[in-house]
Amino acid sequence: MRLGIDFDGTVADTTEAKVRYALERFGERVTGLETTGPHGAERLGHERYLEMVEAVHRTEWTLSIAPMPGAIEALHALAEHHELFIVTARTHEEIGWAREWLRPHGVPFRGVVHTNREPKDAACDTLGIDVMLDDSLYVLRQLEGVGAHLALMDAEYNRAGDYPVRTRRVIDWSAFIDLVATTERDASAVSRPRRPDSPAPVRR
């Protein structure tokens, strides 16, 4: 199958990097929830929040981001049987840092696609993605019209709100591997050709 994998908060632990930046730069201890959206701006102030986000996405801070627990090992295992594509909303100014972060980890991705903050539906449709993993409910809602199965990587900031259709929450990378295996088995069962000696289906 073709697997679409988000980068920030899914492969790279961007939340931990933002928490670390806020502590080192501002002396502020923020929660994972306070590294995102209006919660972050309210906690740090708009200017400091933007500084934190831009530093982690557009500077050498990207290179200091730790992988999500189990991510690199899981990706290498998945790459043995599936085609992997990074599909990220990073901008033109940010994608180079993500590519540089990925290089030493040696995961054999077939491609790295960035949408420059645009929805990911067109990219997933063009690539023929079968399963898309992301940490954003907002992003996954934009993919409801695409034929891919959707997986949400569990995080403090995505536990509220309705799930899009065909979305499964996974608590970690091991759970995502299990989900991919189940999706592949189900797809094989649906597409398995009928044995020549089996009765023809009854038309109703």
Side-chain angles (χ1 to χ4, degrees), residues 87-109:
V87 184
T88 173
R90 279 193 171 227
T91 66
H92 304 315
E93 296 80 13
E94 299 166 351
I95 189 59
W97 290 106
R99 291 179 187 274
E100 191 169 346
W101 186 97
L102 287 165
R103 193 172 298 116
H105 295 292
V107 179
F109 290 103

Side-chain angles (χ1 to χ4, degrees), residues 28 67 119 130 167 198:
E28 299 279 2
D130 296 297
T167 298
S198 61

Side-chain angles (χ1 to χ4, degrees), residues 132 137 140-152 162-168:
M132 179 67 202
L137 275 171
L140 292 181
R141 289 191 187 106
Q142 295 173 328
L143 296 175
E144 287 188 278
V146 177
H149 295 269
L150 307 177
L152 179 70
D162 296 329
Y163 287 14
V165 176
R166 301 187 317 281
T167 298
R168 292 279 302 276

Side-chain angles (χ1 to χ4, degrees), residues 2-174:
R2 288 192 161 195
L3 309 181
I5 311 292
D6 177 49
F7 179 72
D8 292 292
T10 306
V11 175
D13 194 351
T14 312
T15 298
E16 183 277 335
K18 291 177 183 176
V19 169
R20 184 160 39 90
Y21 185 90
L23 182 60
E24 293 183 17
R25 180 71 176 83
F26 309 133
E28 299 279 2
R29 296 184 181 276
V30 300
T31 66
L33 187 62
E34 290 170 337
T35 66
T36 62
H39 301 284
E42 181 179 352
R43 177 69 171 80
L44 295 172
H46 185 68
E47 289 187 4
R48 293 199 302 176
Y49 173 72
L50 287 181
E51 177 186 330
M52 174 186 69
V53 172
E54 290 184 3
V56 172
H57 286 78
R58 300 186 179 184
T59 73
E60 64 277 3
W61 264 84
T62 290
L63 305 183
S64 76
I65 300 175
M68 293 288 287
I72 303 304
E73 298 83 356
L75 288 167
H76 278 283
L78 289 166
E80 293 181 8
H81 306 286
H82 306 286
E83 296 180 306
L84 308 186
F85 294 84
I86 288 288
V87 184
T88 173
R90 279 193 171 227
T91 66
H92 304 315
E93 296 80 13
E94 299 166 351
I95 189 59
W97 290 106
R99 291 179 187 274
E100 191 169 346
W101 186 97
L102 287 165
R103 193 172 298 116
H105 295 292
V107 179
F109 290 103
R110 289 292 304 275
V112 177
V113 178
H114 70 288
T115 66
N116 200 38
R117 295 289 187 272
E118 292 297 319
K120 299 179 180 180
D121 53 346
C124 288
D125 192 44
T126 299
L127 293 170
I129 296 299
D130 296 297
V131 182
M132 179 67 202
L133 174 66
D134 211 292
D135 68 318
S136 169
L137 275 171
Y138 174 74
V139 167
L140 292 181
R141 289 191 187 106
Q142 295 173 328
L143 296 175
E144 287 188 278
V146 177
H149 295 269
L150 307 177
L152 179 70
M153 181 63 75
D154 181 68
E156 180 181 0
Y157 49 79
N158 65 25
R159 292 171 185 158
D162 296 329
Y163 287 14
V165 176
R166 301 187 317 281
T167 298
R168 292 279 302 276
R169 179 181 291 272
V170 292
I171 61 171
D172 55 24
W173 274 94
S174 178

